[in-house]
Amino acid sequence: MPDNYDLYENIRRKTSDEYDRMVSSLGISKGEMMIIWSLFDFGRPCTQKEICLDWLVNKQTINSAAKKLAEEGIIDITPSPENMREKFLVFTEKGKFLAMRTAQKLVEAERKAFFRLSEEEQAESIRISQKHYEILKEEFAKIKGENK
């Protein structure tokens, strides 16, 4: 019989798999979705570095996806005026339309799912998620301390 952690991880994996299936059904890669979602969510041009930090993915994943999206006319890649090595990603008109068909719908689905919970369930979900995050930070700090 699985313990509670196994059940928790199973739900987390199923949720992740659900996102992967949804993104795939939209005809875009996970990396492409990360860029589209970030540009939509931030509401402004973003650097590849910001997107990597936001999604905790490596630079190559975002760089490859950005090149493909630029080739398809979804985004433009422009150098930063302050740092020529840094590139800004910005939606084209075609990209804005794609974001409305993809990222906006996913964000709306997330919100709808959350608000289908009662107010008490919402508050409990937030409380537990915050507590889990804080405890996880403590446990990760212990690992960092062991590896010094």
Side-chain angles (χ1 to χ4, degrees):
M1 177 164 176
D3 64 23
N4 284 340
Y5 178 75
D6 291 338
L7 294 171
Y8 169 81
E9 275 301 302
N10 185 272
I11 292 167
R12 191 186 63 74
R13 279 190 210 98
K14 287 194 310 191
T15 301
S16 180
D17 291 346
E18 199 62 38
Y19 274 100
D20 291 346
R21 281 191 294 279
M22 187 68 231
V23 168
S24 179
S25 77
L26 296 170
I28 53 181
S29 74
K30 201 171 184 175
E32 292 165 348
M33 188 71 237
M34 290 174 187
I35 293 170
I36 293 166
W37 189 302
S38 293
L39 291 174
F40 173 78
D41 191 42
F42 291 167
R44 62 170 172 74
C46 301
T47 64
Q48 291 183 29
K49 183 177 181 179
E50 287 177 297
I51 296 170
C52 290
L53 291 172
D54 191 41
W55 289 94
L56 302 174
V57 296
N58 65 48
K59 185 177 172 183
Q60 188 56 46
T61 297
I62 297 303
N63 189 45
S64 297
K67 284 181 182 177
K68 186 166 185 264
L69 290 172
E71 289 169 4
E72 294 173 355
I74 305 297
I75 62 168
D76 286 323
I77 303 173
T78 58
S80 165
E82 293 88 35
N83 178 353
M84 295 304 282
R85 292 183 58 194
E86 207 168 51
K87 307 279 191 254
F88 277 105
L89 309 182
V90 60
F91 278 132
T92 62
E93 286 305 311
K94 183 179 177 181
K96 289 176 187 175
F97 179 72
L98 179 62
M100 287 188 299
R101 287 185 21 247
T102 57
Q104 182 176 354
K105 290 188 180 212
L106 294 178
V107 169
E108 287 171 0
E110 276 195 359
R111 291 182 61 78
K112 285 177 183 177
F114 183 77
F115 287 111
R116 285 177 62 184
L117 300 172
S118 70
E119 286 187 23
E120 294 81 16
E121 290 168 329
Q122 292 171 26
E124 185 70 359
S125 179
I126 292 166
R127 185 188 71 74
I128 291 169
S129 295
Q130 181 65 37
K131 184 174 182 177
H132 181 251
Y133 166 73
E134 296 298 333
I135 294 169
L136 188 61
K137 275 190 346 184
E138 291 172 11
E139 293 300 322
F140 284 173
K142 290 176 188 176
I143 294 170
K144 287 178 187 175
E146 292 170 1
N147 291 325
K148 285 186 179 182

